[in-house]
Structure formats: C-alpha cells, structure tokens
C-alpha cells in the first residue's frame, strides 16, 4: 500500500535531470519517465537554471561534474531561492 501511495505522489511531480551530453543515459531517462509526471533535461547549469525558473520542477537530479559550474554549486544557488 505504501509503495502505491509513493508511486502516486511521484507521478504528480516533475523532475529536472542535469547531465553532460556525453554522459546522457537513455535508460535513466526512461526510468525517470516511468516514475515522474514529466522529465526535463539539461546539459549544463545555465540551461538547467532557465528550466528551473520557468517550470519549477519538484525534484532535481544532477551530475556533480558539469561544464562551467558544478552540480553542487548549482544546487546551492537554487536553494538560496
């Protein structure tokens, strides 16, 4: 019963998946699409920031090693808002 409730909650949320282009994994995207309502993709922190401001996803999954800015620094900026 708990698993069913969790699936229902996740299905109502959007997720932002941030990874470098050469690190993109189709299996990961397919899995996220199974569990979440909608999956948004970004390949760098600039693109992710635009998506976050515009669409406000509830969940963010990011690589640590991103071009220009680390995933950790990106999350720190988001948490400030």
């Amino acid at each position: 019963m708990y698993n069913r409730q969790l699936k229902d909650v996740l299905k109502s949320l959007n997720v932002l998946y941030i990874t470098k282009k050469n690190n993109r994994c189709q299996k990961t995207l397919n899995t996220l699409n199974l569990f979440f309502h909608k999956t948004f993709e970004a390949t760098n922190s600039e693109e992710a920031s635009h998506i976050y401001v515009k669409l406000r996803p509830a969940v963010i999954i990011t690589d640590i090693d991103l071009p220009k800015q680390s995933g950790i620094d990106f999350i720190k900026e988001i948490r400030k808002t």
Side-chain angles (χ1 to χ4, degrees), residues 43-56:
T43 57
N44 59 54
S45 58
E46 266 182 22
E47 188 179 352
S49 184
H50 291 294
I51 292 170
Y52 180 78
V53 168
K54 186 176 179 183
L55 303 170
R56 295 286 186 190

Side-chain angles (χ1 to χ4, degrees), residues 10-59:
L10 290 177
K11 246 338 191 183
S12 70
L13 302 175
N14 294 328
V15 62
L16 172 57
Y17 177 53
I18 312 164
T19 186
K20 294 184 286 189
K21 262 187 186 171
N22 61 352
N23 204 23
R24 186 173 177 266
C25 180
Q26 191 59 46
K27 286 183 182 180
T28 302
L29 289 170
N30 291 342
T31 302
L32 291 172
N33 285 326
L34 284 174
F35 288 98
F36 290 94
H37 175 68
K38 199 161 197 175
T39 303
F40 305 107
E41 295 177 68
T43 57
N44 59 54
S45 58
E46 266 182 22
E47 188 179 352
S49 184
H50 291 294
I51 292 170
Y52 180 78
V53 168
K54 186 176 179 183
L55 303 170
R56 295 286 186 190
V59 178

Side-chain angles (χ1 to χ4, degrees), residues 58-71:
V59 178
I60 299 173
I61 299 172
T62 183
D63 279 349
I64 292 174
D65 183 30
L66 293 173
K68 298 182 183 176
Q69 181 183 32
S70 77

